Amino acid sequence: MQERETPANTGDKDKTGNESKENVLAQNSSDVSQAKPRIGDTRPAPDSKKASQKASESGNRRRRKRRKGKSANNNPNSLVSGAISDERVELDAETLKKRRGRERKGKAVGRYTMVVHVDEGITQIATLEGRSLIEFFVSRPSDDVSEIHGNIYMGKVENVLPGMEAAFVDIGTPKNAVLYQSDLATGEHGKKNELVRIENVLKNKESVMCQVTKNPIAHKGARLTQEISLAGRFVVLVPNSSTFGISKRLPERERKRLRQILEKAKPAEHGIILRTAAQHITKEEIEQDVNRLLDQWRSIEATASKSKSPALLYREPEMPFRIIREEFNKEYRSVVVDDLSLFEEAKTYLESIAPALAERIEYHDPDSQSVPLFERFYINEQLAKALDSKVWLPSGGSLIIEHTEALTVIDVNTGKNVGTSSLEETVYRNNLEAAKEVAHQLRLRDIGGIIVIDFVDMEIPKHKEDVMKTFRGELARDKTRTQVFGISELGLVEMTRKRIGEGLKQTFQKAQE
């Protein structure tokens, strides 16, 4: 799960228009079982027989079940994991104090809380802002097939379709993945910004290295790119690229400081993007992150040279660790985990990437606590409401959210909100509430694709501008890319949101199976 940053000097291709292309049926291919390495282990994955033997020895203990999903790797000992270096940069007491964030009466203070619940091998992750649920994720044991975002494969081209400007690639998952012409690494076949035909670059049965940018959804296979990127805590390495960028979320003064560091730390043959998490980070920490990613890339290249396609070359860390890497900062009050094995592993992981925040991870013992973890934070209640098509607004208005195959429609109603002064004022206030809640629901329900919102009609132009300003401001807090148009003559707002997963409803249903 990589952070969706917008670098200063690199463009971000809008691929929303390709959604319709992905309805092409993919071909099936077989899988091979894969043993999984530990997070933070710099060694190769263990032999699958030894791994299964070790798991059986600890069968009676209450331990989190390891993921045994299927993968395409035909050589388990060569798989590269998203390892974290054991080397740490020593920081002085003053720096550590600044990074620990705010405290009140000895307790951490923050805007967000991450809650991680493990049950029979299924990991459920909820993010709260205050007491309000804003994001929900599920990681299952079979996620080597369905949760493969960020994984790198040596794939085999099965079919090149010039008419679709795409190719189907066998990466060892049940459905072949799709690689579009816009996601090719042209190399010697063409210059930058020059249109290159996919049939001139790829041939049937050819082996290609590629990375998953979108998980398989329903009948659609995964989406691939040849523009590989490796994410660290502070840096994103873009191999064989001239990319040079710094997150636009950082203030200008900090960007200037980081630019000077980046010019010296950037490898000559690879591109670098500094993430938002790099704010106030030292030169030594950035250099360490770059060196670790370079070692990771060299290992991937070495593995690729010995692998027979289809093969899994690199697996992203499991979802809890990806979210900690991407999201966790001093704005989080705590990470609460109810599985001892995962708690110990996550604490070690957090100590390696953010030692100043390692104390903010807590263990919720389900045996000694009278209330289950999700009930303690009222998560189950909020999930039940998020699965309902009707959402109530504070003043009595409501939203009706309906999903179709082509798009999602959201209708805004005044409902019980009768106002006090005038109809225009009542509608205006109702729409302002709706704008905030729609942005919240899009993020919580993970709604992607085309979205049409029918706000209640307003007559005053300034009111329309205020509603759109509020809506765009709330969407800016969502790291998933969105594109919003103004209110049309029919009073409709058309927008798109990048489709990353299957959505909350499908995710929750899978967790209950």
Side-chain angles (χ1 to χ4, degrees), residues 97-168:
K97 184 178 180 180
K98 289 181 180 178
R99 294 188 186 178
R100 284 195 183 101
R102 294 178 296 135
E103 293 184 352
R104 185 182 298 129
K105 296 182 180 180
K107 294 184 178 181
V109 176
R111 187 175 187 174
Y112 305 102
T113 303
M114 189 182 301
V115 182
V116 184
H117 169 57
V118 181
D119 183 23
E120 297 183 356
I122 298 177
T123 304
Q124 301 180 51
I125 306 161
T127 303
L128 303 168
E129 182 176 3
R131 296 183 179 181
S132 177
L133 180 65
I134 59 173
E135 287 182 327
F136 181 76
F137 307 97
V138 174
S139 177
R140 307 188 69 204
S142 61
D143 275 355
D144 259 357
V145 173
S146 62
E147 187 65 42
I148 57 177
H149 184 275
N151 288 1
I152 299 175
Y153 294 86
M154 180 61 73
K156 180 186 290 185
V157 179
E158 291 293 329
N159 195 11
V160 180
L161 303 175
M164 294 298 297
E165 297 182 354
F168 286 112

Side-chain angles (χ1 to χ4, degrees), residues 463-477:
H463 287 175
K464 296 181 180 180
E465 293 174 4
D466 288 347
V467 169
M468 291 307 302
K469 183 178 179 180
T470 300
F471 186 45
R472 289 192 171 99
E474 292 295 319
L475 288 175
R477 301 170 59 191

